Amino acid sequence: MNKLLVVITGLALFTLCGVCDAGESKAVNSSQALGNVLLDGKPEVQFDKLVFSVKPQYMLSNSAHDGTYGAEVSLGYYFSKYCGAQLSLGYIDTDSVIQNYSVDIIAKYPYENFFLNGNDVVKFEPYALLGQGLHDNLVNGWLTRLGLGVNLEVIPLNGTVLFVEGIYNLVANDVVDYTTVGVGVRISF
């Protein structure tokens, strides 16, 4: 059943990336592109391509290690403003130290000039992720990650955004599945 859920979720994310990205393609000839560069001094960029993320995280829903802390770092690349991939390394400080290594596919839907309590929020991007990787602990196993999150940029900081994320981790080899939640910073370059 878990494998079927992962396959269906993966197909849904890939479909979402393709459907959302299909409407964004437009033909631009070289004189139009050059005109945009000359008028603004820089080319138009619709999304941040390369991003680095760091977040402290808190472990939930694991009876043996409930309430433990850790951190996660990731390096991601976005193919469009709707879809990307990231490499992640997670660490949770339990008695045996849990480490997760994964590759995640991310589907997001950005909102421009989103209003929240009267403040003009420049970026509000809910996203979903699906990842596969390795859970390294006393018992190692294949790892599947399903997550939801939101990127939020309240003040324009040159591509730096805050994000909130929750990830459900399904682990093979009789390891108890667990959830991590965290708030972090995502920096684009």
Side-chain angles (χ1 to χ4, degrees), residues 49-69:
K49 289 191 174 215
L50 195 59
V51 295
F52 173 76
S53 305
V54 60
K55 76 169 180 188
Q57 60 186 0
Y58 182 76
M59 180 186 245
L60 301 171
S61 69
N62 182 319
S63 58
H65 304 296
D66 195 19
T68 56
Y69 294 94

Side-chain angles (χ1 to χ4, degrees), residues 12-14 16-21 24 46-51 76-86 105-112 123-130 147-153 159 161 163 186 188:
L13 281 174
F14 281 120
L16 177 64
C17 287
V19 168
C20 289
D21 200 28
E24 291 298 313
Q46 298 293 325
F47 57 95
D48 300 322
K49 289 191 174 215
L50 195 59
V51 295
Y77 181 81
Y78 286 90
F79 310 109
S80 73
K81 67 181 187 177
Y82 299 107
C83 191
Q86 71 180 11
I105 300 294
I106 300 169
K108 63 181 181 172
Y109 192 82
Y111 292 98
E112 299 290 328
K123 282 186 182 178
F124 176 81
E125 301 175 335
Y127 63 90
L129 70 84
L130 172 67
L148 295 174
V150 174
N151 293 329
L152 185 64
E153 181 179 9
V161 297
F163 68 97
R186 204 177 305 278
S188 63

Side-chain angles (χ1 to χ4, degrees), residues 23-149:
E24 291 298 313
S25 299
K26 46 185 154 178
V28 177
N29 64 34
S30 60
S31 63
Q32 286 176 325
L34 183 58
N36 290 340
V37 171
L38 294 177
L39 290 176
D40 299 337
K42 60 182 179 179
E44 290 185 28
V45 178
Q46 298 293 325
F47 57 95
D48 300 322
K49 289 191 174 215
L50 195 59
V51 295
F52 173 76
S53 305
V54 60
K55 76 169 180 188
Q57 60 186 0
Y58 182 76
M59 180 186 245
L60 301 171
S61 69
N62 182 319
S63 58
H65 304 296
D66 195 19
T68 56
Y69 294 94
E72 183 175 291
V73 294
S74 63
L75 183 63
Y77 181 81
Y78 286 90
F79 310 109
S80 73
K81 67 181 187 177
Y82 299 107
C83 191
Q86 71 180 11
L87 300 171
S88 297
L89 168 63
Y91 168 86
I92 300 170
D93 190 19
T94 63
D95 55 349
S96 59
V97 181
I98 296 172
Q99 295 178 17
N100 291 336
Y101 310 94
S102 69
V103 176
D104 306 320
I105 300 294
I106 300 169
K108 63 181 181 172
Y109 192 82
Y111 292 98
E112 299 290 328
N113 299 323
F114 185 80
F115 291 93
L116 181 66
N117 294 331
N119 296 327
D120 188 11
V121 176
V122 176
K123 282 186 182 178
F124 176 81
E125 301 175 335
Y127 63 90
L129 70 84
L130 172 67
Q132 292 283 307
L134 176 67
H135 170 87
D136 186 14
N137 195 354
L138 293 175
V139 177
N140 297 336
W142 190 249
L143 172 70
T144 300
R145 296 165 27 111
L146 302 169
L148 295 174

